[in-house]
C-alpha cells in the first residue's frame, strides 16, 4: 500500500503566525513507518520526498508516485534509502542487501524499487539532471568528521554517506550524526543555508526520550517536540538545531543548489531570539 501526502512551501512571515498544531501540520514528519506500507511526503521544498517503507515480511513495490508526474518515481529523480531496522533488501537496478545503518544511493532511471525483509527503510528523493551509478554505502565507507566537546554537551561524529567527499550525486546530500553519551545538542551554534532545504529524522531514542527540534528564523525561533523515528522539514530560511533529553542519532538530508556541506551562514548567539 502506498500513501502520499503533499506539503506546500510555507514562507517565514506565515510561519510566525503558527501555533503548535499548525507548526506540526506543516513541518513535522511522523507516522511514516507503517507496517506493510510505503508512506511518502512530497514536499515543495526543493521537491524533496521523505518517507518510509516497512515490508514486514512481504515485498513492497514503489513505482508510480503521482505528484512526480512520471510513470516511475526514478524516471527523473535520484533516491537515498537508509535502513534503520533489521536486515533487509532493496531491489532496483540490482539487489542490495542492507543492514542497519547502511545507505543506498539509486541513480536516475534505476527503475521501480522493491523493499523486502526485516528492514525499516527511510526514503529520501530529489529531482536529478543526469544519472550517477547506484551505490550501497556501509558506515565504514562514510567520511567522518568529529565536532563539539563534552564540555558544551555537543560531542558528535558526522558520517557523510552521499556527499562530495564520498561519491557524486546530482543534488541530494545525506549523512548521519551520532551524539556521544552525555551530549544532547546538535548543530549549535545554529546556521542557515539559503541555497538548500533540509530534512531531519531522529532515531536511537528510548521510548520515553524526546528531542526539542529548533526551527524558525534566527530572531523568531520555534520548536517541536519529537520522539523516536520522527523528524522535521527545514526550509532554507530556517535554523535547524535540537536538544534531547539524552543522546541520540539523526539522519540529515539536503537538496538544492549547492552540495557543499560547509556552505552555511552561521548565526551568532546574540541573534537568536
Amino acid at each position: 500500500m502506498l500513501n502520499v501526502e503533499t506539503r506546500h512551501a510555507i514562507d517565514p512571515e506565515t510561519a510566525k503566525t503558527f501555533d503548535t498544531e499548525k507548526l506540526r501540520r506543516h513541518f513535522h514528519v511522523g507516522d511514516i513507518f507503517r507496517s506493510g506500507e510505503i508512506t511518502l511526503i512530497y514536499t515543495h521544498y526543493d521537491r524533496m520526498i521523505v518517507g518510509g517503507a516497512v515490508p514486514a515480511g512481504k515485498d513492497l513495490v514503489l513505482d508510480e508516485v503521482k505528484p512526480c508526474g512520471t510513470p516511475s518515481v526514478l524516471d527523473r529523480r535520484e533516491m537515498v534509502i537508509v535502513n534503520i531496522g533489521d536486515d533487509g533488501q532493496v531491489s532496483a537496478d540490482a539487489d542490495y542487501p542492507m543492514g542497519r545503518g547502511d545507505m543506498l544511493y539509486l541513480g536516475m532511471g534505476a527503475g521501480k524499487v522493491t523493499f523486502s525483509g526485516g528492514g525499516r527503510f527511510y526514503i529520501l528523493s530529489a529531482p536529478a539532471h543526469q544519472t550517477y551509478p547506484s551505490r550501497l554505502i556501509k558506515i565504514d565507507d562514510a567520511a567522518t568528521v568529529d565536532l563539539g566537546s563534552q564540555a558544551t554537551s555537543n560531542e558528535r561524529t558526522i558520517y557523510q554517506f552521499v556527499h562530495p567527499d564520498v561519491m557524486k550525486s546530482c543534488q541530494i546530500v545525506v549523512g548521519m550524526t551520532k551524539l556521544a553519551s552525555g551530549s544532547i545538542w546538535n548543530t549549535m551554534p545554529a546556521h542557515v543555508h539559503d541555497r538548500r532545504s533540509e530534512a531531519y529524522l531522529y532515531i536511537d531514542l528510548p521510548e520515553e526520550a524526546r528531542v526539542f527540534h529548533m526551527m524558525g528564523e534566527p530572531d523568531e525561533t520555534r520548536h517541536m517536540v519529537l520522539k523516536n523515528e520522527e523528524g522535521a522539514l527545514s526550509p532554507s530560511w530556517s535554523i535547524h538545531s535540537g536538544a534531547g533529553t539524552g543522546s541520540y542519532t539523526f539522519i540529515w538530508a539536503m537538496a538544492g543548489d549547492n552540495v557543499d556541506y560547509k556552505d552555511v551562514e552561521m548565526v551568532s548567539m546574540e541573534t537568536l531570539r
Side-chain angles (χ1 to χ4, degrees), residues 69-83:
T70 54
S72 190
V73 63
L74 292 180
D75 286 350
R76 294 186 62 189
R77 284 180 163 267
E78 57 188 354
M79 180 177 289
V80 177
I81 299 164
V82 189
N83 185 9

Side-chain angles (χ1 to χ4, degrees), residues 118-225:
R120 295 172 71 80
F121 299 101
Y122 181 44
I123 301 167
L124 298 151
S125 178
H129 61 274
Q130 70 176 75
T131 299
Y132 286 110
S134 298
R135 180 177 170 183
L136 178 62
I137 310 160
K138 304 284 187 178
I139 196 164
D140 290 341
D141 300 324
T144 59
V145 180
D146 293 322
L147 292 175
S149 70
Q150 190 176 44
T152 52
S153 301
N154 67 348
E155 184 180 2
R156 62 200 189 276
T157 300
I158 299 171
Y159 296 87
Q160 300 166 335
F161 286 79
V162 181
H163 185 278
D165 289 343
V166 179
M167 60 166 289
K168 285 187 176 182
S169 64
C170 290
Q171 65 163 315
I172 199 163
V173 178
V174 185
M176 180 185 299
T177 300
K178 292 180 176 288
L179 274 67
S181 179
S183 287
I184 62 170
W185 280 100
N186 70 69
T187 321
M188 181 59 70
H191 63 263
V192 296
H193 33 67
D194 190 57
R195 286 164 288 281
R196 59 194 178 202
S197 55
E198 190 159 2
Y200 270 35
L201 182 75
Y202 293 96
I203 60 174
D204 296 340
L205 279 79
E207 179 63 29
E208 69 280 3
R210 295 293 185 270
V211 171
F212 290 74
H213 179 85
M214 310 299 176
M215 62 170 299
E217 291 183 289
D219 61 352
E220 191 75 33
T221 60
R222 299 288 187 271
H223 75 271
M224 294 187 292
V225 181

Side-chain angles (χ1 to χ4, degrees), residues 49-143:
I49 291 174
V50 302
V54 184
K58 64 180 181 181
D59 290 355
L60 292 177
V61 179
L62 178 58
D63 195 4
E64 182 182 10
V65 177
K66 188 174 180 181
C68 296
T70 54
S72 190
V73 63
L74 292 180
D75 286 350
R76 294 186 62 189
R77 284 180 163 267
E78 57 188 354
M79 180 177 289
V80 177
I81 299 164
V82 189
N83 185 9
I84 63 171
D86 295 331
D87 291 349
Q89 179 172 286
V90 175
S91 300
D93 50 359
D95 295 333
Y96 300 95
M98 296 184 67
R100 181 176 175 84
D102 292 348
M103 293 197 189
L104 171 64
Y105 172 83
L106 295 175
M108 183 177 69
K112 64 183 180 182
V113 185
T114 302
F115 304 89
S116 58
R120 295 172 71 80
F121 299 101
Y122 181 44
I123 301 167
L124 298 151
S125 178
H129 61 274
Q130 70 176 75
T131 299
Y132 286 110
S134 298
R135 180 177 170 183
L136 178 62
I137 310 160
K138 304 284 187 178
I139 196 164
D140 290 341
D141 300 324

Side-chain angles (χ1 to χ4, degrees), residues 235-256:
S236 59
W237 48 263
S238 175
I239 66 166
H240 36 259
S241 182
T245 55
S247 58
Y248 52 90
T249 300
F250 66 97
I251 299 165
W252 43 268
M254 297 181 287

